[in-house]
């Protein structure tokens, strides 16, 4: 029943926002939700006219018919329609599609676009004053991304189905992310640890109970590494009976700058490291905080600003409010000095803001009762980071002491906080200063007496495996993907079983390795980091109105088409899947073939569907187990990470992550492992390393 007063219709993306926005705008406004996209490319065909002008052929998304019919009715009744989908390229495109889907094209005058960064009464009411036309540049940037992703997926995926397994997908950004993980795994596998030693001298200080522990630094000629026990023994022999004396005490004051408020990328990184949230979970919970929380006694209100952003900008209102809050709660000396003008490197037209609380006086403690545990934890993280970002730098004092012993020098240092500044509110692993050591009252003439040495053997560590947090950090640093794509990219490669997560680490699976190999060999551009980063810049240039979107596709598609044609020829001869083995099916006597499952290779009977026999497939390495003499085979952890284990498992528990070599160690006769282009003795105490012989390549 339409009443005379309902003259305006506001359409938002998500139904959870409807209630709050209705309340803010009052009775003259009807509010409805589009439930995300309403039109998209068809599922059954590519839907892009590659013969002519690359025009996308959009269709109504299946299941959205009823919703659109009802929106159409509401729109027809309204005098004005406000399209209030999310404030980014995706949202702009949804609004543009809504105009077509709701048949508003012929009455375009009554239709306008509004955006707000936060679901609060002020922001929503204010947005009506800035109602505008659809920004076709933003829409085009979204169209270009959609079409690029579609042609890559649509043209390359069938090659993977043919060669590896049906249903696999190749995506533009996801393939680069997979490549980064594979490259890192190769680096780790190729890493040869180097031995080094530390030497600590425990020194008794006159008048103190606790000894001072100083670490060997070097000698008069400079800093020195101790590479092995022999070098270490030479030093300790030389130091026998030599007095330890304080040579120099140096005190320096350092400052630590407060962090910037959160962007999508930094929020995902901190969500992972501080709260142990996956990127997907961080985004899900942030979405809830943004869309609105029913606060006891206050109704529904959005607690944070829009969650997809790469801006660290703060609105003037929010800036003033947080400074007043800090002065009030912590004192004037905690209010941060304003950044010098000109320091901002944001794109001018960027209307976005950092992720921040919509009202800083709404402290985590005040809203705790209205939030779930997860919402509370994430809100607290966002609130603290925002407040800290406007606080003064922390200052601390570092005292370094050089202690001489003969011609050798030992070193010890301690850090003391002079002013905690922003760290009063927010610390993360990056800005916690080094641990304090008790060194008060140490002077140049303080007498030290040698007590004991502590010698320790170490090995340099390989680069760390990627985690979700470090992958997001590197994707952003390389300019690959955008705030809206980090989480979906990671979710996709995990869901496709290309990558598996154990503890926090991401490991490539056998399937991921096979897909990456095909991509790297046949589509070097698609998996090239720089190429992908340039593509993102071009998409930005479309959004800025500097490049027509179809130009991107025109420049890209013919090369893709040629690469696909070439790959089809090359791959014709290569069969990874369905390769026949000498394993005979115990049911029907056929030779079993290799297939790819979600967890890697397995053996299947080619007599399918008459014979449905399958068996685990263990690729033999041709190397005997050093424990029991059986074959060493390729195995997978429960989560799909590859390792080399004994055929005789579980009776024999031998396992290594690196591929065993057929060459035995010439020094001790033990097994050798492949690490990149080298062979390394399995026995660490032997330590023999040599180049990998050519015939093993
Ligand atoms: Zn069979
Ligand atoms: Zn064994
Ligand atoms: Zn050896």
């Amino acid at each position: 029943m339409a009443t005379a007063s309902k003259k305006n219709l506001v359409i938002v993306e998500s139904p959870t926002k409807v209630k709050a926005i209705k309340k803010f705008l009052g009775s003259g406004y009807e509010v409805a939700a589009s439930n995300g996209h309403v039109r998209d490319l068809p599922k059954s065909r590519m839907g892009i006219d590659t013969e002519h002008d690359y025009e996308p052929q959009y269709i109504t998304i299946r299941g959205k018919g009823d919703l659109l019919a009802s929106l159409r009715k509401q729109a027809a009744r309204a005098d004005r329609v406000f399209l209030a989908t999310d404030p980014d390229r995706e949202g702009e495109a949804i609004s543009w599609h809504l105009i077509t889907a709701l048949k508003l094209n012929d009455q375009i005058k009554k239709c306008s676009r509004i955006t707000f960064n936060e679901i609060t009464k002020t922001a929503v009411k204010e947005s009506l004053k800035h109602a505008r036309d659809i920004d076709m540049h933003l829409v085009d940037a979204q169209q270009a991304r959609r079409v690029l992703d579609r042609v890559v997926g649509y043209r390359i995926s069938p090659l993977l189905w043919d060669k590896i397994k049906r249903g696999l997908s190749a995506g533009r950004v996801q393939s680069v992310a997979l490549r980064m993980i594979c490259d890192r795994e190769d680096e780790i596998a190729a890493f040869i640890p180097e031995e080094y030693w530390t030497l600590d001298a425990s020194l008794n200080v006159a008048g103190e109970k606790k000894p001072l522990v100083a670490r060997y630094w070097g000698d008069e000629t400079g800093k020195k590494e101790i590479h092995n026990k022999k070098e270490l023994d030479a030093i300790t022999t030389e130091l026998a009976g030599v007095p330890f004396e304080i040579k120099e005490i140096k005190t320096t004051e350092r400052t630590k700058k407060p962090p910037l408020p959160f962007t999508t990328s930094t929020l995902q990184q901190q969500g992972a490291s501080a709260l142990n949230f996956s990127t997907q979970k961080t985004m899900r919970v942030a979405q809830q905080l943004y869309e609105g929380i029913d606060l006891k006694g206050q109704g529904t209100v959005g607690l944070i600003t829009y969650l997809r952003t790469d801006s660290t900008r703060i609105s003037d209102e929010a800036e003033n409010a947080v400074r007043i809050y800090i002065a009030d709660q912590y004192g004037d000396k905690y209010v941060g000095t304003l950044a010098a003008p000109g320091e901002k490197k944001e794109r001018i037209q960027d209307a976005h803001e950092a992720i921040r609380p919509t009202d800083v006086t709404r402290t985590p403690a005040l809203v705790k009762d209205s939030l779930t545990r997860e919402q509370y934890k994430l809100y607290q993280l966002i609130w603290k980071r925002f407040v800290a970002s406007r606080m003064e730098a922390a200052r601390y004092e570092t005292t370094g002491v050089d202690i001489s012993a003969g011609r050798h020098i030992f070193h010890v240092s301690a850090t003391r906080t002079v002013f905690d500044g922003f760290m009063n509110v927010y610390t993360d692993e990056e800005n916690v200063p080094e641990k304090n050591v008790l060194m008060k009252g140490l002077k140049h003439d303080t007498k030290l007496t040698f007590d004991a040495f502590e010698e320790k053997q170490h090995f340099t560590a390989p680069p760390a495996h990627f985690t979700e947090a470090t992958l997001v950090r590197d994707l952003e640093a390389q300019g690959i993907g955008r705030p809206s794509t980090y989480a979906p990219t990671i979710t996709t490669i995990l869901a496709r079983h290309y990558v598996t997560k154990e503890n926090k680490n991401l490991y490539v699976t056998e399937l991921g390795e096979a897909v990456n190999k095909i991509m790297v060999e046949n589509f070097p551009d698609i998996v090239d980091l720089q190429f992908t980063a340039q593509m993102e810049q071009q998409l930005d240039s479309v959004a800025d109105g500097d490049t027509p979107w179809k130009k991107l596709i025109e420049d890209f598609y013919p090369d893709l088409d040629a690469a696909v044609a070439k790959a089809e020829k090359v791959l014709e001869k290569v069969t990874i899947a369905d390769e026949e083995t000498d394993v005979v099916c115990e049911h029907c006597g056929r030779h079993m073939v290799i297939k790819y499952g979600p967890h890697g290779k397995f053996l299947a009977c080619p007599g399918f569907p008459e014979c449905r026999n399958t068996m685990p497939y263990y690729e033999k390495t041709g190397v005997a187990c050093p424990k029991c003499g059986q074959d060493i085979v390729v195995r997978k952890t429960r989560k799909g990470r590859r390792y080399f284990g004994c055929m005789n498992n579980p009776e024999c528990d031998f396992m290594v992550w690196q591929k065993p070599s057929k060459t035995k160690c010439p020094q001790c006769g033990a097994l050798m492992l492949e690490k990149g282009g080298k062979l390394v003795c399995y026995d660490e105490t032997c330590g023999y390393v040599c180049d990998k012989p050519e015939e093993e390549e």
Side-chain angles (χ1 to χ4, degrees):
M1 190 187 73
T3 60
S5 63
K6 295 248 179 192
K7 292 203 162 131
N8 301 295
L9 173 67
V10 176
I11 304 177
V12 295
E13 263 178 70
S14 156
T16 55
K17 289 184 206 167
V18 169
K19 215 174 100 192
I21 292 174
K22 211 176 220 161
K23 195 190 73 191
F24 298 149
L25 292 176
S27 59
Y29 291 82
E30 261 190 281
V31 184
S34 75
N35 282 315
H37 273 282
V38 292
R39 295 166 83 229
D40 194 10
L41 296 167
K43 280 216 164 96
S44 54
R45 60 203 153 85
M46 185 149 83
I48 291 148
D49 187 357
T50 54
E51 301 294 307
H52 297 97
D53 57 352
Y54 299 103
E55 191 58 29
Q57 291 138 16
Y58 297 113
I59 57 160
T60 299
I61 293 173
R62 190 188 283 257
K64 285 278 169 94
D66 289 351
L67 174 80
L68 283 174
S70 126
L71 284 176
R72 236 173 259 146
K73 259 187 226 152
Q74 285 178 288
R77 278 206 303 263
D79 293 334
R80 284 196 77 180
V81 179
F82 294 100
L83 300 164
T85 47
D86 285 348
D88 55 16
R89 294 175 196 174
E90 208 70 33
E92 201 74 18
I94 295 177
S95 282
W96 177 68
H97 281 304
L98 276 168
I99 290 179
T100 312
L102 302 183
K103 303 192 169 43
L104 294 167
N105 285 313
D106 40 351
Q107 21 180 348
I108 199 88
K109 256 180 263 160
K110 79 172 198 184
C111 176
S112 13
R113 167 84 167 123
I114 54 169
T115 59
F116 31 85
N117 268 322
E118 51 193 271
I119 318 275
T120 55
K121 190 168 184 174
T122 328
V124 172
K125 292 205 111 168
E126 185 67 23
S127 74
L128 291 171
K129 295 184 195 155
H130 307 284
R132 57 170 172 83
D133 291 337
I134 297 280
D135 182 340
M136 277 316 288
H137 298 319
L138 296 181
V139 174
D140 286 350
Q142 192 275 344
Q143 293 202 84
R145 178 186 295 281
R146 183 76 190 93
V147 169
L148 283 172
D149 289 350
R150 166 55 67 112
V151 294
V152 166
Y154 216 87
R155 295 300 311 274
I156 299 180
S157 299
L159 283 171
L160 302 179
W161 303 348
D162 252 25
K163 296 305 151 196
I164 308 175
K165 178 182 170 270
R166 249 204 106 68
L168 293 182
S169 84
R172 210 169 49 83
V173 178
Q174 102 194 24
S175 298
V176 186
L178 174 63
R179 196 241 175 103
M180 285 166 69
I181 295 167
C182 289
D183 286 355
R184 177 65 59 87
E185 293 287 302
D186 288 348
E187 246 181 88
I188 294 167
F191 184 83
I192 297 168
E194 265 176 52
E195 183 184 2
Y196 70 95
W197 290 71
T198 51
L199 175 64
D200 288 344
S202 190
L203 306 166
N204 290 320
V205 182
E208 294 283 341
K209 275 186 201 149
K210 272 193 174 172
L212 186 69
V213 179
R215 175 153 292 181
Y216 183 78
W217 180 82
D219 60 24
E220 289 151 344
T221 62
K223 196 168 162 65
K224 247 179 125 172
E225 297 270 341
I226 307 171
H227 298 102
N228 49 50
K229 183 86 167 87
K230 218 174 117 191
E231 285 180 26
L232 183 108
D233 287 346
I235 295 167
T236 49
T237 312
E238 202 184 319
L239 287 178
V242 173
F244 282 75
E245 285 164 344
I246 293 178
K247 190 171 167 251
E248 197 181 1
I249 302 175
K250 230 196 259 167
T251 301
T252 44
E253 196 177 285
R254 283 196 278 167
T255 58
K256 203 133 226 173
K257 275 202 223 160
L260 291 168
F262 279 132
T263 59
T264 305
S265 149
T266 50
L267 177 66
Q268 288 175 353
Q269 290 170 48
Q270 278 303 305
S273 56
L275 308 179
N276 204 9
F277 284 9
S278 67
T279 49
Q280 195 184 21
K281 182 167 170 181
T282 295
M283 292 307 270
R284 177 167 46 78
V285 178
Q287 183 85 30
Q288 295 161 1
L289 294 172
Y290 159 70
E291 286 186 347
I293 299 290
D294 198 2
L295 292 183
K296 280 176 187 134
Q298 299 178 52
T300 305
V301 74
L303 287 188
I304 62 165
T305 50
Y306 191 52
L307 59 152
R308 290 180 197 90
T309 175
D310 51 10
S311 173
T312 53
R313 201 181 69 87
I314 293 293
S315 75
D316 293 344
E317 296 79 21
E319 179 89 56
N320 292 335
V322 68
R323 284 175 185 280
I324 291 166
Y325 179 84
I326 296 166
D328 204 42
Q329 297 292 316
Y330 302 91
D332 285 337
K333 64 176 182 173
Y334 278 94
V335 181
T337 8
L338 278 166
E343 248 180 56
K344 285 179 188 166
K345 49 170 188 171
E346 320 274 341
R347 298 173 353 150
I348 316 277
Q349 59 274 57
D350 183 2
H352 287 163
E353 273 195 68
I355 304 169
R356 60 163 174 85
T358 53
D359 180 352
V360 72
T361 63
R362 219 173 257 138
T363 61
L366 271 180
V367 293
K368 190 173 184 183
D369 288 349
S370 308
L371 302 179
T372 64
R373 232 177 104 73
E374 292 172 350
Q375 289 169 342
Y376 171 71
K377 281 183 173 175
L378 194 68
Y379 181 67
Q380 188 180 47
L381 191 68
I382 294 166
W383 186 91
K384 285 184 167 185
R385 174 92 166 205
F386 172 62
V387 173
S389 77
R390 263 48 198 169
M391 287 174 91
E392 194 56 348
R395 289 195 306 277
Y396 53 95
E397 193 184 78
T398 301
T399 305
V401 182
D402 285 346
I403 296 163
S404 64
R407 64 186 186 92
H408 294 285
I409 296 160
F410 286 73
H411 187 81
V412 57
S413 72
T415 298
R416 184 177 73 86
T417 304
V418 179
F419 174 61
D420 58 355
F422 75 90
M423 285 202 269
N424 188 305
V425 177
Y426 180 90
T427 49
D428 59 34
E429 67 269 33
E430 269 172 35
N431 55 36
V432 176
E434 308 113 75
K435 282 257 167 64
N436 287 0
V437 187
L438 267 181
M439 284 202 314
K440 256 190 277 169
L442 215 57
K443 294 198 185 67
H444 281 96
D445 54 358
T446 302
K447 203 171 150 38
L448 305 173
T449 12
F450 173 76
D451 177 36
F453 280 132
E454 195 191 342
E455 335 180 315
K456 243 191 204 153
Q457 186 188 31
H458 307 266
F459 290 93
T460 53
H465 291 278
F466 271 119
T467 60
E468 289 201 30
T470 57
L471 185 62
V472 168
R473 186 194 64 200
D474 282 22
L475 283 169
E476 188 187 36
Q478 302 276 1
I480 293 164
R482 285 296 178 260
S484 57
T485 59
Y486 305 132
T489 299
I490 294 175
T491 306
T492 304
I493 54 179
L494 282 167
R496 301 264 171 206
H497 298 286
Y498 295 169
V499 165
T500 177
K501 197 158 96 172
E502 272 183 37
N503 298 317
K504 283 188 175 185
N505 292 336
L506 298 172
Y507 302 98
V508 64
T509 63
E510 202 172 26
L511 187 60
E513 242 172 48
V515 169
N516 185 56
K517 191 165 181 283
I518 289 189
M519 292 302 294
V520 170
E521 283 170 6
N522 298 282
F523 304 99
D525 275 352
I526 304 278
V527 291
D528 184 75
L529 274 64
Q530 235 184 331
F531 180 83
T532 309
Q534 276 164 10
M535 196 61 97
E536 290 292 351
Q537 284 169 10
Q538 284 182 285
L539 288 169
D540 288 346
S541 144
V542 172
D544 293 345
D546 296 333
T547 308
W549 79 269
K550 282 186 182 168
K551 168 124 191 1
L552 252 71
I553 318 296
E554 280 161 22
D555 289 348
F556 177 79
Y557 190 79
D559 291 344
L560 173 72
D561 194 42
V564 170
K566 199 174 145 206
E568 274 167 351
K569 276 212 186 99
V570 173
L571 290 173
E572 218 170 17
K573 298 171 199 103
V574 186
T575 329
I576 297 174
D578 293 3
E579 189 184 323
E580 202 178 83
T581 66
D582 51 10
V583 180
V584 173
C585 173
E586 56 210 356
H587 298 319
C588 70
R590 291 180 176 96
H591 282 277
M592 303 284 278
V593 297
I594 300 168
K595 286 205 178 285
Y596 267 88
H599 304 292
K601 293 174 187 169
F602 67 97
L603 290 177
C605 182
F608 185 88
E610 300 135 53
C611 176
R612 293 168 179 265
N613 189 21
T614 62
M615 285 164 72
Y617 173 66
Y618 298 118
E619 199 173 334
K620 289 179 184 172
T621 60
V623 180
C625 170
K627 278 196 175 170
C628 73
Q630 288 251 25
D631 273 314
I632 298 176
V633 294
V634 181
R635 287 182 169 274
K636 262 94 58 182
T637 64
R638 207 167 45 84
K639 294 235 177 137
R641 186 180 171 201
R642 190 187 64 182
Y643 70 96
F644 297 88
C646 186
M647 187 74 192
N648 199 18
N649 183 278
E651 281 76 39
C652 174
D653 64 357
F654 174 80
M655 74 85 63
V656 283
W657 294 109
Q658 286 85 25
K659 192 176 173 201
S661 163
K662 286 172 185 151
T663 312
K664 290 275 168 293
C665 175
Q667 199 163 285
C668 74
L671 187 71
M672 303 263 279
L673 302 176
E674 286 185 16
K675 292 197 174 187
K678 305 258 183 205
L679 293 182
V680 178
C681 183
Y682 174 61
D683 184 351
E684 267 192 17
T685 58
C686 167
Y688 184 79
V689 180
C690 66
D691 286 335
K692 192 157 89 177
E694 296 239 333
E695 65 267 22
E696 291 213 17
E697 297 280 333

